[in-house]
Amino acid sequence: MYNVQADFINEKEIWDAIEKNQNPDFEGINDVLKKASEMKGLNLSDVAVLTSISDPKMLDKLFETANRVKETIYGKRLVIFAPLYISNLCKNECLYCAFRATNKEIVRSVLSQKQIANEVKALIGQGQKRVLLVAGESYPKEGFQYVLDSIKTIYDVKTEHGEVRRVNVNVAPLKTEEFMELKKSGIGTYQIFQETYHRETYLKVHLGGKKRDYNWRAWSLHRAMEAGIDDLGIGVLFGLFDYRFELLAMMQHIAELERTFGVGPHTISVPRLEPATNSDIASHPPFPVSDIDFRKIVAILRLAVPYTGIIMSTRETAKMRRETFALGVSQISAGSRTNPGGYENDKEDDPSGQFSLGDHRPLDEVIRDVSSMGYIPSFCTACYRLGRTGQDFMDLAKPGDIKLHCAPNALSSFKEYLMNYASPETVKVGNQLINQTINSMSGLAKQRAEKLIKRVAEGKDDVYC
Ligand code: SAM
Ligand code: SF4
């Protein structure tokens, strides 16, 4: 069924909405921002109105509204994870990516299960608990089983204080049967980016391989849902085409998932094109997204889909990452390497990486920085382990409920990090933040947080509610 036209992306409807709303007056913008404050999401024309804002005062209003919504729903939590690249072998020809099949300028490697285990030990040694498995679209002789084996390897590594408690996956679109296997392997989120929703551009930048098939990719989240994976991540690679079009198309994709399955994506990623070895388009994006527009994108997404997490990777600089926390970002990667083997053989910005990084700081430094800004780094994996995924998660994501679970769990997982992995400087900043945060809490949330923190302080790991 899913080899037909992905007709839920309706280009005419998108352009009509952009054209109709390209010169909104202040009253029109204020109406949309007022609606956004109710935290029930926005429709296509609302999003088109917000993309048209250029007046600095109105932009500030957009950012303030996004900040209020973010703080109400997510509080000061920031979930932390690291990508784990297991292979840079790929049969596709994506012009922007260093891993593309014909690129001879990178060294190819497919990690063995032993090498993957070593990467995981290195990550656990830093204090990571959540990993995003990433691979090019070409597996060794065991085929897709290689990915399943790798997931098992990751979960099987245990050290004195740590283990990876959630494996999310970003690999090429699968068949429904393969998605079922992936579900059984115990993954958290399955993530896939359409890169560009604009068909003509899609064909221009994906020259060969299975990925050239727009529809196969566009329907992939439907197949994943049907296979029982209800924690899904979507995204666009910003810089390939007009960001206004991409935002509206992403809204259509989300609306389609909600209509068909009753639940939308769990996360949205906002990768922006970064230089990549031997890629001209990556260094000279056809539709460069300025820093101000990038912040606008994050703020608009926060208002359009208030209960969906927004992920900010280390593609962006520390400064840009800091700025977007206040606008809606709820998850960040830290201490990342994008070359297979990059954690065990620590070489920063290896030319065999997928793209160059904007934030090179080690995890401990990121954690200290984030904490000194008042954000609580969270390594929590409770929801997925308690089966709170898909619609159950969305129900819980209501502001009141999140405070009762996420805030105490964020604090206890952060305390665990401080006890087992942090540098003395980070411990100092972190403990201060934990105390301040608990003092500002009340009722059941406070009681739960105090109880969990006490247990971690007594040496108990992995406590959550
Ligand atoms: N190979 C699979 C695929 O393409 O779906 C798995 C994920 S790929 C390794 C991860 C993502 O990196 C891609 O979906 C793309 O959005 C992003 N990416 C590729 N080249 C990039 C670049 N030069 N700058 C920023 N992000 C890039
Ligand atoms: Fe391969 Fe993914 Fe890179 Fe495309 S983006 S070349 S599919 S690894």
mmCIF file of all heavy atoms in Angstrom, residues 85 90 92 94 96-99 134-137 170-173 191-193 195 211 217 236-237 271-276 279 282 315 354-356, ligand 1:
data_model
loop_
_atom_site.group_PDB
_atom_site.id
_atom_site.type_symbol
_atom_site.label_atom_id
_atom_site.label_comp_id
_atom_site.label_asym_id
_atom_site.label_seq_id
_atom_site.Cartn_x
_atom_site.Cartn_y
_atom_site.Cartn_z
ATOM 1 N N TYR A 85 27.436 6.174 16.001
ATOM 2 C CA TYR A 85 27.521 5.783 14.584
ATOM 3 C C TYR A 85 28.168 4.413 14.496
ATOM 4 O O TYR A 85 29.315 4.249 14.883
ATOM 5 C CB TYR A 85 28.345 6.814 13.802
ATOM 6 C CG TYR A 85 27.567 8.063 13.458
ATOM 7 C CD1 TYR A 85 27.202 8.978 14.447
ATOM 8 C CD2 TYR A 85 27.179 8.328 12.145
ATOM 9 C CE1 TYR A 85 26.477 10.118 14.134
ATOM 10 C CE2 TYR A 85 26.459 9.478 11.822
ATOM 11 C CZ TYR A 85 26.107 10.366 12.825
ATOM 12 O OH TYR A 85 25.385 11.487 12.512
ATOM 13 N N CYS A 90 27.483 3.341 2.809
ATOM 14 C CA CYS A 90 26.153 3.709 2.332
ATOM 15 C C CYS A 90 26.044 3.532 0.825
ATOM 16 O O CYS A 90 26.990 3.819 0.089
ATOM 17 C CB CYS A 90 25.855 5.157 2.707
ATOM 18 S SG CYS A 90 24.115 5.517 2.499
ATOM 19 N N ASN A 92 23.572 5.010 -0.882
ATOM 20 C CA ASN A 92 22.829 6.144 -1.428
ATOM 21 C C ASN A 92 23.763 7.262 -1.869
ATOM 22 O O ASN A 92 24.939 7.281 -1.527
ATOM 23 C CB ASN A 92 21.837 6.669 -0.388
ATOM 24 C CG ASN A 92 20.759 5.657 -0.104
ATOM 25 O OD1 ASN A 92 20.280 4.997 -1.022
ATOM 26 N ND2 ASN A 92 20.394 5.497 1.156
ATOM 27 N N CYS A 94 23.349 10.883 -1.437
ATOM 28 C CA CYS A 94 22.798 12.149 -0.946
ATOM 29 C C CYS A 94 23.910 13.185 -1.054
ATOM 30 O O CYS A 94 24.943 13.046 -0.390
ATOM 31 C CB CYS A 94 22.368 12.015 0.515
ATOM 32 S SG CYS A 94 21.372 10.561 0.835
ATOM 33 N N TYR A 96 24.615 15.947 0.075
ATOM 34 C CA TYR A 96 25.051 16.731 1.234
ATOM 35 C C TYR A 96 25.839 15.929 2.269
ATOM 36 O O TYR A 96 26.325 16.482 3.238
ATOM 37 C CB TYR A 96 23.813 17.353 1.917
ATOM 38 C CG TYR A 96 22.690 16.355 2.094
ATOM 39 C CD1 TYR A 96 22.696 15.449 3.136
ATOM 40 C CD2 TYR A 96 21.636 16.303 1.174
ATOM 41 C CE1 TYR A 96 21.689 14.508 3.272
ATOM 42 C CE2 TYR A 96 20.626 15.365 1.302
ATOM 43 C CZ TYR A 96 20.655 14.477 2.352
ATOM 44 O OH TYR A 96 19.663 13.544 2.486
ATOM 45 N N CYS A 97 25.943 14.615 2.080
ATOM 46 C CA CYS A 97 26.451 13.768 3.161
ATOM 47 C C CYS A 97 27.797 13.142 2.803
ATOM 48 O O CYS A 97 27.973 12.617 1.696
ATOM 49 C CB CYS A 97 25.430 12.671 3.456
ATOM 50 S SG CYS A 97 25.971 11.542 4.753
ATOM 51 N N ALA A 98 28.713 13.173 3.756
ATOM 52 C CA ALA A 98 30.048 12.606 3.523
ATOM 53 C C ALA A 98 29.997 11.092 3.323
ATOM 54 O O ALA A 98 30.905 10.511 2.736
ATOM 55 C CB ALA A 98 30.958 12.941 4.697
ATOM 56 N N PHE A 99 28.960 10.442 3.809
ATOM 57 C CA PHE A 99 28.876 8.978 3.699
ATOM 58 C C PHE A 99 28.390 8.497 2.329
ATOM 59 O O PHE A 99 28.318 7.306 2.078
ATOM 60 C CB PHE A 99 27.903 8.409 4.759
ATOM 61 C CG PHE A 99 28.329 8.609 6.188
ATOM 62 C CD1 PHE A 99 27.468 8.267 7.230
ATOM 63 C CD2 PHE A 99 29.581 9.115 6.505
ATOM 64 C CE1 PHE A 99 27.842 8.436 8.566
ATOM 65 C CE2 PHE A 99 29.966 9.291 7.839
ATOM 66 C CZ PHE A 99 29.095 8.944 8.868
ATOM 67 N N VAL A 134 23.047 5.322 14.850
ATOM 68 C CA VAL A 134 22.961 5.891 13.506
ATOM 69 C C VAL A 134 23.806 5.039 12.553
ATOM 70 O O VAL A 134 24.877 4.564 12.928
ATOM 71 C CB VAL A 134 23.489 7.349 13.474
ATOM 72 C CG1 VAL A 134 23.203 8.004 12.124
ATOM 73 C CG2 VAL A 134 22.892 8.189 14.594
ATOM 74 N N ALA A 135 23.326 4.876 11.322
ATOM 75 C CA ALA A 135 24.097 4.123 10.328
ATOM 76 C C ALA A 135 23.765 4.603 8.924
ATOM 77 O O ALA A 135 22.686 5.141 8.683
ATOM 78 C CB ALA A 135 23.766 2.631 10.429
ATOM 79 N N GLY A 136 24.698 4.392 7.997
ATOM 80 C CA GLY A 136 24.424 4.597 6.580
ATOM 81 C C GLY A 136 23.525 3.460 6.092
ATOM 82 O O GLY A 136 23.313 2.482 6.809
ATOM 83 N N GLU A 137 23.042 3.569 4.845
ATOM 84 C CA GLU A 137 22.114 2.537 4.368
ATOM 85 C C GLU A 137 22.867 1.469 3.573
ATOM 86 O O GLU A 137 22.768 1.401 2.337
ATOM 87 C CB GLU A 137 21.001 3.153 3.512
ATOM 88 C CG GLU A 137 19.951 2.117 3.119
ATOM 89 C CD GLU A 137 18.673 2.711 2.558
ATOM 90 O OE1 GLU A 137 18.602 3.927 2.381
ATOM 91 O OE2 GLU A 137 17.729 1.926 2.307
ATOM 92 N N ASN A 170 18.255 5.820 14.342
ATOM 93 C CA ASN A 170 18.069 6.589 13.108
ATOM 94 C C ASN A 170 18.747 5.833 11.977
ATOM 95 O O ASN A 170 19.944 5.971 11.742
ATOM 96 C CB ASN A 170 18.678 7.992 13.257
ATOM 97 C CG ASN A 170 18.416 8.884 12.041
ATOM 98 O OD1 ASN A 170 18.269 8.395 10.929
ATOM 99 N ND2 ASN A 170 18.364 10.177 12.254
ATOM 100 N N VAL A 171 17.980 4.940 11.353
ATOM 101 C CA VAL A 171 18.495 4.202 10.191
ATOM 102 C C VAL A 171 17.475 4.331 9.062
ATOM 103 O O VAL A 171 16.337 4.736 9.288
ATOM 104 C CB VAL A 171 18.731 2.697 10.497
ATOM 105 C CG1 VAL A 171 19.786 2.504 11.568
ATOM 106 C CG2 VAL A 171 17.440 1.987 10.873
ATOM 107 N N ALA A 172 17.916 3.963 7.867
ATOM 108 C CA ALA A 172 17.073 4.121 6.676
ATOM 109 C C ALA A 172 15.720 3.430 6.851
ATOM 110 O O ALA A 172 15.599 2.466 7.610
ATOM 111 C CB ALA A 172 17.803 3.520 5.490
ATOM 112 N N PRO A 173 14.689 3.907 6.131
ATOM 113 C CA PRO A 173 13.351 3.324 6.229
ATOM 114 C C PRO A 173 13.351 1.816 6.030
ATOM 115 O O PRO A 173 14.081 1.301 5.181
ATOM 116 C CB PRO A 173 12.591 3.994 5.092
ATOM 117 C CG PRO A 173 13.304 5.257 4.839
ATOM 118 C CD PRO A 173 14.749 5.015 5.173
ATOM 119 N N GLN A 191 13.647 7.233 14.497
ATOM 120 C CA GLN A 191 13.739 8.584 13.966
ATOM 121 C C GLN A 191 14.130 8.548 12.488
ATOM 122 O O GLN A 191 14.987 7.752 12.099
ATOM 123 C CB GLN A 191 14.874 9.214 14.770
ATOM 124 C CG GLN A 191 15.076 10.664 14.657
ATOM 125 C CD GLN A 191 16.300 11.084 15.481
ATOM 126 O OE1 GLN A 191 17.424 10.952 15.026
ATOM 127 N NE2 GLN A 191 16.087 11.586 16.670
ATOM 128 N N ILE A 192 13.485 9.358 11.696
ATOM 129 C CA ILE A 192 13.872 9.456 10.275
ATOM 130 C C ILE A 192 13.491 10.853 9.776
ATOM 131 O O ILE A 192 12.437 11.359 10.097
ATOM 132 C CB ILE A 192 13.171 8.360 9.431
ATOM 133 C CG1 ILE A 192 13.748 8.259 8.030
ATOM 134 C CG2 ILE A 192 11.687 8.548 9.329
ATOM 135 C CD1 ILE A 192 14.955 7.413 7.968
ATOM 136 N N PHE A 193 14.392 11.461 9.022
ATOM 137 C CA PHE A 193 14.112 12.805 8.511
ATOM 138 C C PHE A 193 13.782 12.723 7.024
ATOM 139 O O PHE A 193 14.487 12.038 6.284
ATOM 140 C CB PHE A 193 15.333 13.728 8.692
ATOM 141 C CG PHE A 193 15.940 13.687 10.075
ATOM 142 C CD1 PHE A 193 17.299 13.886 10.263
ATOM 143 C CD2 PHE A 193 15.153 13.441 11.194
ATOM 144 C CE1 PHE A 193 17.868 13.843 11.530
ATOM 145 C CE2 PHE A 193 15.708 13.402 12.470
ATOM 146 C CZ PHE A 193 17.071 13.590 12.635
ATOM 147 N N GLU A 195 14.318 15.004 5.095
ATOM 148 C CA GLU A 195 15.378 15.878 4.547
ATOM 149 C C GLU A 195 14.749 17.098 3.866
ATOM 150 O O GLU A 195 14.906 18.206 4.332
ATOM 151 C CB GLU A 195 16.328 15.157 3.572
ATOM 152 C CG GLU A 195 16.740 13.726 3.975
ATOM 153 C CD GLU A 195 17.586 13.641 5.236
ATOM 154 O OE1 GLU A 195 17.674 14.619 5.974
ATOM 155 O OE2 GLU A 195 18.134 12.545 5.510
ATOM 156 N N LYS A 211 17.200 5.636 -1.373
ATOM 157 C CA LYS A 211 16.705 6.888 -0.783
ATOM 158 C C LYS A 211 16.120 7.842 -1.826
ATOM 159 O O LYS A 211 15.409 8.779 -1.488
ATOM 160 C CB LYS A 211 17.829 7.563 -0.001
ATOM 161 C CG LYS A 211 17.384 8.753 0.833
ATOM 162 C CD LYS A 211 18.332 9.032 1.960
ATOM 163 C CE LYS A 211 18.068 10.355 2.631
ATOM 164 N NZ LYS A 211 19.066 10.642 3.659
ATOM 165 N N ARG A 217 10.232 6.806 1.622
ATOM 166 C CA ARG A 217 10.670 7.481 2.845
ATOM 167 C C ARG A 217 9.482 8.176 3.544
ATOM 168 O O ARG A 217 9.316 8.092 4.749
ATOM 169 C CB ARG A 217 11.744 8.515 2.496
ATOM 170 C CG ARG A 217 12.577 8.961 3.689
ATOM 171 C CD ARG A 217 13.806 9.714 3.217
ATOM 172 N NE ARG A 217 14.639 10.143 4.312
ATOM 173 C CZ ARG A 217 15.638 9.429 4.840
ATOM 174 N NH1 ARG A 217 15.926 8.252 4.369
ATOM 175 N NH2 ARG A 217 16.344 9.926 5.834
ATOM 176 N N VAL A 236 13.600 17.718 9.299
ATOM 177 C CA VAL A 236 13.913 18.268 7.983
ATOM 178 C C VAL A 236 15.371 18.701 8.036
ATOM 179 O O VAL A 236 15.835 19.139 9.082
ATOM 180 C CB VAL A 236 13.015 19.510 7.727
ATOM 181 C CG1 VAL A 236 13.616 20.423 6.684
ATOM 182 C CG2 VAL A 236 11.607 19.099 7.310
ATOM 183 N N LEU A 237 16.075 18.553 6.937
ATOM 184 C CA LEU A 237 17.446 19.048 6.879
ATOM 185 C C LEU A 237 17.381 20.480 6.325
ATOM 186 O O LEU A 237 17.207 20.682 5.116
ATOM 187 C CB LEU A 237 18.286 18.120 5.981
ATOM 188 C CG LEU A 237 19.767 18.433 5.842
ATOM 189 C CD1 LEU A 237 20.460 18.574 7.200
ATOM 190 C CD2 LEU A 237 20.456 17.331 5.035
ATOM 191 N N PRO A 271 17.954 19.529 12.067
ATOM 192 C CA PRO A 271 19.322 19.643 11.585
ATOM 193 C C PRO A 271 19.437 20.737 10.530
ATOM 194 O O PRO A 271 18.542 20.900 9.705
ATOM 195 C CB PRO A 271 19.599 18.262 10.977
ATOM 196 C CG PRO A 271 18.262 17.711 10.626
ATOM 197 C CD PRO A 271 17.334 18.240 11.678
ATOM 198 N N ARG A 272 20.526 21.514 10.613
ATOM 199 C CA ARG A 272 20.804 22.530 9.592
ATOM 200 C C ARG A 272 22.064 22.054 8.861
ATOM 201 O O ARG A 272 22.974 21.536 9.514
ATOM 202 C CB ARG A 272 21.054 23.856 10.316
ATOM 203 C CG ARG A 272 20.898 25.055 9.475
ATOM 204 C CD ARG A 272 20.797 26.369 10.235
ATOM 205 N NE ARG A 272 21.635 26.647 11.370
ATOM 206 C CZ ARG A 272 21.960 27.877 11.783
ATOM 207 N NH1 ARG A 272 21.519 28.923 11.114
ATOM 208 N NH2 ARG A 272 22.690 28.079 12.856
ATOM 209 N N LEU A 273 22.110 22.242 7.551
ATOM 210 C CA LEU A 273 23.268 21.745 6.784
ATOM 211 C C LEU A 273 24.589 22.247 7.345
ATOM 212 O O LEU A 273 24.742 23.444 7.597
ATOM 213 C CB LEU A 273 23.168 22.229 5.341
ATOM 214 C CG LEU A 273 22.485 21.328 4.338
ATOM 215 C CD1 LEU A 273 22.520 21.971 2.951
ATOM 216 C CD2 LEU A 273 23.123 19.950 4.275
ATOM 217 N N GLU A 274 25.519 21.324 7.532
ATOM 218 C CA GLU A 274 26.863 21.644 8.002
ATOM 219 C C GLU A 274 27.849 21.157 6.953
ATOM 220 O O GLU A 274 27.556 20.200 6.235
ATOM 221 C CB GLU A 274 27.153 20.896 9.313
ATOM 222 C CG GLU A 274 26.426 21.422 10.519
ATOM 223 C CD GLU A 274 26.823 22.831 10.865
ATOM 224 O OE1 GLU A 274 27.999 23.174 10.700
ATOM 225 O OE2 GLU A 274 25.933 23.613 11.272
ATOM 226 N N PRO A 275 29.037 21.756 6.898
ATOM 227 C CA PRO A 275 30.025 21.255 5.937
ATOM 228 C C PRO A 275 30.290 19.769 6.138
ATOM 229 O O PRO A 275 30.280 19.275 7.269
ATOM 230 C CB PRO A 275 31.285 22.063 6.274
ATOM 231 C CG PRO A 275 30.769 23.297 6.933
ATOM 232 C CD PRO A 275 29.512 22.914 7.649
ATOM 233 N N ALA A 276 30.476 19.059 5.046
ATOM 234 C CA ALA A 276 30.778 17.627 5.100
ATOM 235 C C ALA A 276 31.869 17.361 4.067
ATOM 236 O O ALA A 276 31.887 18.019 3.011
ATOM 237 C CB ALA A 276 29.529 16.814 4.763
ATOM 238 N N SER A 279 31.653 17.652 -0.024
ATOM 239 C CA SER A 279 30.284 17.988 -0.432
ATOM 240 C C SER A 279 30.164 19.494 -0.640
ATOM 241 O O SER A 279 30.294 20.273 0.312
ATOM 242 C CB SER A 279 29.270 17.541 0.628
ATOM 243 O OG SER A 279 28.041 18.209 0.416
ATOM 244 N N ALA A 282 26.841 20.967 0.922
ATOM 245 C CA ALA A 282 26.831 21.098 2.378
ATOM 246 C C ALA A 282 27.519 22.403 2.805
ATOM 247 O O ALA A 282 27.127 23.042 3.777
ATOM 248 C CB ALA A 282 27.523 19.895 3.026
ATOM 249 N N ARG A 315 25.453 19.788 15.818
ATOM 250 C CA ARG A 315 25.742 20.475 14.560
ATOM 251 C C ARG A 315 25.858 21.972 14.830
ATOM 252 O O ARG A 315 26.588 22.684 14.164
ATOM 253 C CB ARG A 315 24.598 20.267 13.554
ATOM 254 C CG ARG A 315 24.475 18.865 12.988
ATOM 255 C CD ARG A 315 23.235 18.773 12.126
ATOM 256 N NE ARG A 315 23.024 17.455 11.546
ATOM 257 C CZ ARG A 315 22.400 16.458 12.176
ATOM 258 N NH1 ARG A 315 21.967 16.626 13.415
ATOM 259 N NH2 ARG A 315 22.237 15.298 11.577
ATOM 260 N N GLN A 354 30.296 12.320 9.614
ATOM 261 C CA GLN A 354 29.244 12.580 8.633
ATOM 262 C C GLN A 354 29.200 14.057 8.218
ATOM 263 O O GLN A 354 28.890 14.396 7.100
ATOM 264 C CB GLN A 354 27.882 12.151 9.188
ATOM 265 C CG GLN A 354 26.848 12.047 8.099
ATOM 266 C CD GLN A 354 25.459 11.879 8.650
ATOM 267 O OE1 GLN A 354 25.241 11.977 9.859
ATOM 268 N NE2 GLN A 354 24.521 11.636 7.779
ATOM 269 N N PHE A 355 29.481 14.920 9.185
ATOM 270 C CA PHE A 355 29.494 16.369 8.928
ATOM 271 C C PHE A 355 30.312 16.978 10.048
ATOM 272 O O PHE A 355 30.632 16.300 11.033
ATOM 273 C CB PHE A 355 28.069 16.952 8.920
ATOM 274 C CG PHE A 355 27.225 16.441 10.054
ATOM 275 C CD1 PHE A 355 27.369 16.951 11.330
ATOM 276 C CD2 PHE A 355 26.304 15.410 9.851
ATOM 277 C CE1 PHE A 355 26.617 16.458 12.378
ATOM 278 C CE2 PHE A 355 25.551 14.909 10.901
ATOM 279 C CZ PHE A 355 25.704 15.440 12.168
ATOM 280 N N SER A 356 30.675 18.274 9.929
ATOM 281 C CA SER A 356 31.487 18.830 11.015
ATOM 282 C C SER A 356 30.609 19.361 12.134
ATOM 283 O O SER A 356 29.469 19.790 11.917
ATOM 284 C CB SER A 356 32.471 19.880 10.511
ATOM 285 O OG SER A 356 31.845 20.711 9.597
HETATM 286 N N1 SAM B 1 21.371 6.940 6.525
HETATM 287 C C1 SAM B 1 20.128 7.100 7.162
HETATM 288 C C2 SAM B 1 19.311 8.169 6.513
HETATM 289 O O1 SAM B 1 19.821 8.897 5.700
HETATM 290 O O2 SAM B 1 18.136 8.222 6.830
HETATM 291 C C3 SAM B 1 20.369 7.368 8.601
HETATM 292 C C4 SAM B 1 20.604 8.726 9.095
HETATM 293 S S1 SAM B 1 21.831 9.802 8.453
HETATM 294 C C5 SAM B 1 23.296 8.999 8.913
HETATM 295 C C6 SAM B 1 21.439 11.048 9.668
HETATM 296 C C7 SAM B 1 20.972 12.384 9.186
HETATM 297 O O3 SAM B 1 22.088 13.246 9.086
HETATM 298 C C8 SAM B 1 20.331 12.482 7.844
HETATM 299 O O4 SAM B 1 18.982 12.112 7.888
HETATM 300 C C9 SAM B 1 20.543 13.945 7.477
HETATM 301 O O5 SAM B 1 19.421 14.735 7.831
HETATM 302 C C10 SAM B 1 21.709 14.370 8.365
HETATM 303 N N2 SAM B 1 22.825 14.898 7.581
HETATM 304 C C11 SAM B 1 23.418 14.326 6.526
HETATM 305 N N3 SAM B 1 24.382 15.146 6.047
HETATM 306 C C12 SAM B 1 24.372 16.269 6.800
HETATM 307 C C13 SAM B 1 25.102 17.496 6.778
HETATM 308 N N4 SAM B 1 26.039 17.741 5.873
HETATM 309 N N5 SAM B 1 24.825 18.440 7.714
HETATM 310 C C14 SAM B 1 23.880 18.217 8.645
HETATM 311 N N6 SAM B 1 23.157 17.076 8.713
HETATM 312 C C15 SAM B 1 23.397 16.114 7.787
#
